[in-house]
Amino acid sequence: MAVALEEARQAAQCGEVPIGAVLVAADGEILARAGNSPIARHDPTAHAEILALRAAAHKVGNYRLPGTTLYVTLEPCVMCAGALVQARVARLVYGAEDPKAGGMVSCYRVGLDALLNHTLQVEGGVLAAEAALVLKDFFRARRQKT
């Protein structure tokens, strides 16, 4: 999660909403890491989770990523939660919950409710205070500029 927080901080420095993600193989190898980048890429799907999944899939040569764990600083949205299911990620570990748009536990239960063809293990609250502070600081600074 510390690496995901680094990615989030880098995204903030670029003016992006500070969310970071790291995808790790079963043996502990980091397959990919990314920060949010929809503004710079002009791409509404360029969330940290999606970018990490894309990079890892390219690296391993398969769109399926079984046995992997995704660490992300904020609970994934519905789009990213769906991508985790499609990629067959085994486990998600996230920091802060997203009460407005959370796709895993806060608003929806994508990948947990057994309605889809894949379920994943989910652990939330890991370094949650630190992850939430990165987001709060970013938005506080943004409000002060206006």
Side-chain angles (χ1 to χ4, degrees):
M1 187 61 77
V3 175
L5 283 164
E6 287 175 25
E7 291 293 329
R9 290 185 185 102
Q10 288 177 11
Q13 290 174 353
C14 296
E16 302 279 358
V17 174
I19 299 170
V22 178
L23 191 72
V24 179
D27 66 3
E29 174 192 1
I30 292 179
L31 297 174
R33 53 191 287 173
N36 260 11
S37 189
I39 296 167
R41 293 175 186 247
H42 309 288
D43 180 355
T45 69
H47 290 194
E49 301 94 322
I50 300 293
L51 296 174
L53 290 172
R54 285 178 183 159
H58 182 73
K59 181 176 183 174
V60 302
N62 193 337
Y63 72 105
R64 297 283 167 91
L65 301 164
T68 59
T69 298
L70 182 76
Y71 294 87
V72 63
T73 57
L74 183 68
E75 177 187 354
C77 69
V78 173
M79 174 184 71
C80 294
L84 295 173
V85 170
Q86 294 302 317
R88 305 301 192 262
V89 170
R91 184 170 172 245
L92 167 70
V93 178
Y94 68 87
E97 287 187 0
D98 185 352
K100 292 182 181 180
M104 303 304 298
V105 297
S106 296
C107 298
Y108 305 96
R109 299 188 54 78
V110 177
L112 297 175
D113 54 19
L115 294 174
L116 300 171
N117 59 349
H118 176 71
T119 58
L120 55 152
Q121 297 174 347
V122 175
E123 179 183 352
V126 176
L127 296 180
E130 190 172 350
L133 184 60
V134 170
L135 285 159
K136 287 176 187 175
D137 288 349
F138 173 81
F139 286 112
R140 182 179 306 117
R142 184 180 256 188
R143 284 190 302 275
Q144 290 174 350
K145 287 181 182 179
T146 58

